[in-house]
Amino acid sequence: MHNNKRPRTIQIFLPTGDPAGIRIAEQTTSIIRLIEVPRSDIAEFLKLPEAKQVGLYFLVSGDSKEELYIGQSGDVGSRLMQHHKDEKKDWERALVLVSLTNNLTQTHVLYLESLSIEKAKSCQRYELLNGNSGQKPHTPIPLKADCDEIHEISSLLLATLGYPFFEPLTEHAATEIEQVFICNRTGVDAKGIYTNEGMVVLQGSSAPMTTKRKTEQRFFDKRDQLLAKGVIAIEAERFVFQRDYLFQTPSGASMFLLLATSNGWIDWKTDQGLTLKDYQGHSLESITQ
């Protein structure tokens, strides 16, 4: 769901030949290179010339890849080694942004760090571990224009590798363009938008804290995780979404709301009562006729 949609070619190089190892992504017409480094492969990364460059980096942690730290350095390899030795930081993968022509300056990366923190906060996909918003340096207009373009390309490369830090969850905050689906079984009052990533449950959706249906502890465990993160909050014996939140499947979203098993393709409906399954079916028929 990239904002500036047009066909692109992305090249991914595997320097060790292992698709789970270091991956280097580039857009074929750009000088920006993004290197994904598993923590176990830091030694391999330090052998690459890019490790000595000025760069912006992202540290991703958590099993569900939901925690993010953004930083920059004049010597990105040394900085990653410091993070590796720092016991306070728990991370699994680093994503390092450098320039093929080695022309990024400290001003570029300071501006990009600040811009990235701001954008990641507004997208709210990841819990940002940065204590502050970075130092936005005084940036001349031409350099700012370059940085904005670098940020756009880096967003695309990150999303291509599976890290959509800066991608809005839905196409438009005002949802009149996208079809809104409703889940309203057993006291649930929720709205969602089905995207190519899954079901986004919209801010303000709510459901009862208890259920009379036959259920399992795992549904309550997931609810408690999102309560701890502040994604949902308790109001008058209901849990209420404090922000839009992406579930990977329609059923994952409806089960979370109903606290029990559910088929999201049936339990999400348009306001006319058409199920998500039938709605998708009609869309497909109109194309194939």
Side-chain angles (χ1 to χ4, degrees), residues 219-261:
F219 296 113
F220 294 100
D221 291 345
K222 173 75 173 165
R223 186 195 63 191
D224 293 346
Q225 280 170 15
L226 292 203
L227 271 171
K229 286 187 168 172
V231 173
I232 56 175
I234 302 171
E235 295 171 23
E237 296 182 33
R238 295 176 71 80
F239 61 85
V240 183
F241 279 77
Q242 305 300 296
R243 55 179 165 94
D244 296 354
Y245 187 80
L246 173 68
F247 290 87
Q248 289 179 329
T249 62
S251 297
S254 55
M255 287 195 274
F256 183 88
L257 290 156
L258 294 161
L259 294 167
T261 53

Side-chain angles (χ1 to χ4, degrees), residues 184-201:
N184 56 7
R185 279 184 64 183
T186 59
V188 169
D189 178 11
K191 290 183 175 175
I193 291 176
Y194 184 54
T195 73
N196 56 12
E197 293 180 278
M199 183 62 82
V200 178
V201 175

Side-chain angles (χ1 to χ4, degrees), residues 44-237:
E44 289 296 320
F45 173 67
L46 292 175
K47 294 175 193 167
L48 300 176
E50 289 89 344
K52 301 273 183 288
Q53 286 196 29
V54 176
L56 180 73
Y57 64 87
F58 308 89
L59 302 180
V60 182
S61 57
D63 290 336
S64 48
K65 299 197 292 198
E66 282 180 348
E67 291 178 344
L68 173 64
Y69 178 84
I70 300 172
Q72 50 72 35
S73 172
D75 181 342
V76 82
S78 302
R79 179 60 58 86
L80 285 193
M81 275 306 292
Q82 287 169 0
H83 283 306
H84 182 57
K85 289 172 183 163
D86 177 3
E87 288 167 12
K88 294 191 206 77
K89 277 213 170 51
D90 171 26
W91 56 279
E92 293 308 318
R93 289 188 174 261
L95 295 124
V96 179
L97 187 76
V98 293
S99 146
L100 283 176
T101 52
N102 203 352
N103 67 345
L104 290 183
T105 65
Q106 204 73 36
T107 312
H108 282 101
V109 290
L110 278 168
Y111 178 83
L112 284 164
E113 176 188 45
S114 179
L115 180 65
S116 298
I117 290 170
E118 187 188 305
K119 297 269 192 193
K121 274 182 180 162
S122 74
C123 285
Q124 295 188 316
R125 284 174 176 264
Y126 292 73
E127 192 180 330
L128 212 57
L129 302 179
N130 291 69
N132 59 27
S133 54
Q135 325 149 235
K136 205 165 210 174
H138 170 68
T139 313
I141 290 169
L143 194 138
K144 182 179 176 301
D146 284 350
C147 286
D148 290 341
E149 191 176 332
I150 290 167
H151 177 78
E152 189 200 320
I153 292 163
S154 65
S155 302
L156 176 75
L157 295 176
L158 284 160
T160 302
L161 289 180
Y163 303 93
F165 303 147
F166 310 116
E167 304 297 308
L169 285 172
T170 57
E171 293 284 355
H172 300 274
T175 53
E176 66 275 2
I177 298 173
E178 291 171 292
Q179 176 64 50
V180 175
F181 293 90
I182 295 159
C183 179
N184 56 7
R185 279 184 64 183
T186 59
V188 169
D189 178 11
K191 290 183 175 175
I193 291 176
Y194 184 54
T195 73
N196 56 12
E197 293 180 278
M199 183 62 82
V200 178
V201 175
L202 300 181
Q203 181 178 1
S205 295
S206 70
M209 287 293 286
T210 54
T211 176
K212 295 188 175 70
R213 296 175 70 201
K214 185 171 172 239
T215 191
E216 297 165 42
Q217 185 57 38
R218 68 189 165 108
F219 296 113
F220 294 100
D221 291 345
K222 173 75 173 165
R223 186 195 63 191
D224 293 346
Q225 280 170 15
L226 292 203
L227 271 171
K229 286 187 168 172
V231 173
I232 56 175
I234 302 171
E235 295 171 23
E237 296 182 33

